[in-house]
Amino acid sequence: MDTAEVILSVLVVVIIIVSLLSNVLVLICFLYNPEIRKQVPGLFNLNLTFCNLLLTVSNMPLTLVGLVSKIVGFLETFLSTNSMLSMAALSIDRWIAVVFPLRYHSKMRHKDAAFVLGYTWAHSMSFSTVATCLSWVGYHRLYASCTLSNPRASSRTQFVIFTVFFHSFTFLLSFIVLCVTYLKVLKVARFHCKRIDVITMQTLVLLVDIHPSVRQRCLEEQKRRRQRATRKISTFIGTFMLCFAPYVITRIVELFPAVPINPHWGIVSKCLAYSKAACDPFVYSLLRHQYKKTCTDIINRLLKRSSLNTSGRGHESQGNSIPTAE
């Protein structure tokens, strides 16, 4: 094992640890907070967390040791597809919430969310089942993981067609949905920011005696408000592209035998795709106020319980040390 392979192995271990801890934390928040469970986005976040956890537990360790298994290849294809579609579902949910705020609860009910999740599972299952039945899953040396692989030259044309269709209807479809929905969300957010900016400027003009520092803080908040929506949407789309695009592009380039691919790059692109499972809890859940508050409540409760146990033991020891009168 050379230096590059050692570094990549350490990288996989770090991704596994971060992904496990962050996704488990999201799951604990979901189980602990009834308000999160009542909200429709909570179902999408739960499905995304569930897929990321299974991907972390089932595939990442096997990538590390390089085991071969059809079942693992099936799970890798299924869970990766489900994760991409879950992100698209979350973007649709945000689009409905922002563009149709008054009709959100009638347009996106729990049964509607269940229907969308049913589609993501059926979509993922169909591609994974076809690949497994045709023996197109297995250990792929270039990516050091169990994924789509076709060692037989006789079925190369069919495998090329399947691979192009698979990535078109998973990665490309999810990317288009993300762009369309979040750009509409950004348009509405900017419109609301302009309205708030007009009201803010009118108020500042009317308040002649306002202190310059207060005026400056208002203008700074106005600037931050304009950048907030752009930053969030750029993060959603940017992490999706940064993590998945190198791997998908490498898989497409791989279909052309004349183009050589560095084996280290193959593993790096796979690690980037895996890293999405470690990023998602922060991007979609843990950085939100509800999840932050839930985490704080859980920590405070654990610390309070720990301090009560410590004080209880202290009182016990004091009681035992008191001499009894004979």
Side-chain angles (χ1 to χ4, degrees), residues 33-68:
N33 193 331
E35 291 184 7
I36 294 176
R37 291 198 301 271
K38 289 178 184 176
Q39 295 176 348
V40 172
L43 288 176
F44 297 123
N45 281 323
L46 179 64
N47 188 61
L48 182 61
T49 302
F50 178 73
C51 292
N52 287 337
L53 273 175
L54 283 180
L55 189 67
T56 303
V57 173
S58 64
N59 280 85
M60 294 186 195
L62 293 174
T63 297
L64 197 59
V65 298
L67 295 177
V68 181

Side-chain angles (χ1 to χ4, degrees), residues 202-255:
Q202 290 175 346
T203 305
L204 291 176
V205 169
L206 292 175
L207 297 175
V208 181
D209 299 331
I210 192 171
H211 196 273
S213 62
V214 177
R215 183 188 296 272
Q216 184 63 29
R217 281 201 300 272
C218 290
L219 294 174
E220 288 175 358
E221 177 60 28
Q222 181 179 344
K223 183 180 179 181
R224 282 195 297 269
R225 190 167 48 244
R226 284 197 300 265
Q227 295 174 346
R228 196 175 298 134
T230 305
R231 188 169 59 249
K232 285 184 177 181
I233 290 170
S234 300
T235 301
F236 293 149
I237 299 176
T239 53
F240 180 85
M241 289 298 293
L242 180 64
C243 294
F244 286 127
Y247 175 68
V248 174
I249 293 171
T250 305
R251 294 306 308 243
I252 298 299
V253 172
E254 184 193 355
L255 300 176

Side-chain angles (χ1 to χ4, degrees), residues 305-323:
R305 190 174 296 172
S306 176
S307 62
L308 287 174
N309 290 338
T310 305
S311 62
R313 287 188 194 125
H315 287 309
E316 262 182 40
S317 62
Q318 286 179 5
N320 292 333
S321 64
I322 297 173

Side-chain angles (χ1 to χ4, degrees), residues 269-280:
S269 66
K270 193 63 183 175
C271 288
L272 284 173
Y274 279 156
S275 68
K276 193 69 173 75
C279 296
D280 284 341

Side-chain angles (χ1 to χ4, degrees), residues 95-121:
W95 168 63
I96 296 173
V98 172
V99 179
F100 309 102
L102 300 179
R103 290 181 287 170
Y104 172 72
H105 292 291
S106 62
K107 282 180 170 290
M108 188 56 78
R109 295 161 295 181
H110 278 82
K111 68 176 185 179
D112 299 317
F115 174 78
V116 174
L117 291 181
Y119 170 76
T120 64
W121 279 70

